């Protein structure tokens, strides 16, 4: 199974600022994803982080608000830009294992915007 | 539109009282159905992947089954440490997962 490290684990940020979340995987993976989990809700996919090309965003999410980098097969970042209290959520990085048999998640980044 | 619905939203059991959680889905081209356990403040913990109708998988007190329209997570003789939110997700093309709302399970001693 893949081991995923996310940083920071939590943060409290002022509105209007930006936060970059890092996701490091202990092995090379083809597919990496970023999810959001709002308070009391389930997980919603933000985007697929593509290595060497622009991320693929889901409906309702845009690159200006959630820019994503994927410089190699073991690392990705998600930036939450110009934050507002509505961005307070848990942000989760996920990778899919070989043959699409398993999908693993990091421990998440709990973001509070004040 | 791909959709996943879990029921019940919350389930309270006494220790040792077996029950089942339901996950109904509609998806074009199912590539896999995933079950996760999530404890408060933590990321989802992978439990099972099911691929085809009739498939079953077991892990300790948990057993997952799959039909063409739904999946069940059976919990046999649960213990308080089984208390968590259980999430179901389907995988369509591209590897992304579509999650249900989850079932919050509480097991009282």
């Amino acid at each position: 199974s893949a081991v995923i490290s996310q940083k920071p684990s939590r943060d409290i940020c002022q509105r209007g600022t930006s936060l970059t979340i890092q996701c490091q995987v202990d092995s090379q993976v083809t597919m990496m994803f970023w999810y959001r989990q709002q308070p009391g809700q389930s997980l919603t996919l933000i985007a697929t982080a593509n290595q060497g090309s622009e991320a693929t965003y889901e409906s309702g999410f845009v690159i200006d608000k959630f820019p994503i980098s994927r410089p190699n097969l073991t690392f990705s970042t998600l930036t939450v830009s110009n934050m507002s209290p509505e961005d307070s959520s848990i942000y989760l990085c996920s990778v899919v294992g070989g043959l699409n048999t398993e999908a693993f998640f990091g421990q998440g980044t709990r973001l509070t915007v004040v | 539109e791909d959709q996943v619905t879990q029921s019940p939203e919350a389930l309270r059991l006494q220790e040792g009282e077996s029950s089942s959680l339901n996950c109904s889905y509609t998806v074009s081209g199912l590539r896999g159905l995933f079950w996760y356990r999530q404890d408060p403040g933590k990321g989802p913990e992978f439990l099972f992947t099911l691929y085809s109708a009739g498939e079953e998988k077991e892990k300790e007190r948990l057993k997952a089954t799959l039909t063409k329209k739904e999946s069940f997570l059976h919990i046999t003789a649960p213990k308080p440490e089984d208390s968590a939110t259980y999430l179901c997700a389907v995988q369509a093309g591209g590897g992304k997962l579509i999650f249900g709302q989850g079932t919050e399970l509480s097991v009282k001693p």
Side-chain angles (χ1 to χ4, degrees):
Chain A
S1 63
V3 176
I4 304 170
S5 301
Q6 263 189 253
K7 292 181 181 179
S9 58
R10 59 177 62 227
D11 207 343
I12 301 173
C13 300
Q14 296 291 323
R15 68 177 65 200
T17 63
S18 298
L19 176 72
T20 295
I21 302 167
Q22 298 181 2
C23 176
Q24 179 74 53
V25 188
D26 68 343
S27 59
Q28 293 187 343
V29 292
T30 304
M31 291 184 282
M32 294 180 74
F33 304 90
W34 287 98
Y35 289 82
R36 181 175 74 181
Q37 188 172 28
Q38 295 177 301
Q41 302 295 314
S42 191
L43 283 73
T44 300
L45 181 65
I46 297 172
T48 303
N50 302 308
Q51 195 269 328
S53 64
E54 200 168 274
T56 305
Y57 290 84
E58 297 298 305
S59 176
F61 298 95
V62 295
I63 187 172
D64 289 345
K65 177 66 176 177
F66 298 102
I68 289 171
S69 77
R70 177 95 190 268
N72 56 53
L73 293 176
T74 65
F75 185 79
S76 178
T77 67
L78 168 74
T79 298
V80 186
S81 303
N82 188 26
M83 289 182 286
S84 66
E86 291 71 35
D87 294 320
S88 297
S89 292
I90 299 173
Y91 292 85
L92 294 144
C93 170
S94 173
V95 302
V96 175
L99 303 177
N100 286 344
T101 56
E102 298 166 325
F104 301 101
F105 285 82
Q107 287 301 299
T109 296
R110 183 181 294 272
L111 170 64
T112 302
V113 183
V114 298
Chain B
E1 180 182 353
D2 299 338
Q3 195 168 11
V4 180
T5 303
Q6 290 187 247
S7 62
E9 291 185 7
L11 181 62
R12 292 186 177 185
L13 299 174
Q14 288 297 125
E15 184 172 3
E17 180 186 0
S18 300
S19 188
S20 296
L21 283 57
N22 177 263
C23 173
S24 299
Y25 65 90
T26 55
V27 63
S28 54
L30 178 71
R31 299 184 66 178
L33 186 141
F34 293 70
W35 281 99
Y36 290 88
R37 169 192 171 126
Q38 187 174 28
D39 293 297
K42 296 189 176 182
E45 174 189 346
F46 172 79
L47 293 174
F48 305 108
T49 309
L50 302 168
Y51 295 100
S52 57
E55 188 175 1
E56 299 182 353
K57 288 190 176 176
E58 289 188 62
K59 180 180 180 179
E60 296 180 351
R61 295 178 291 282
L62 300 176
K63 179 180 177 180
T65 62
L66 181 66
T67 72
K68 289 186 178 180
K69 295 183 179 181
E70 58 191 350
S71 177
F72 291 93
L73 184 65
H74 307 277
I75 302 177
T76 302
K79 297 181 178 181
E81 53 261 42
D82 294 322
S83 298
T85 296
Y86 289 84
L87 299 168
C88 169
V90 296
Q91 185 182 55
K96 66 182 182 183
L97 299 180
I98 301 165
F99 280 85
Q101 290 300 105
T103 293
E104 185 176 353
L105 174 65
S106 175
V107 182
K108 300 298 183 184

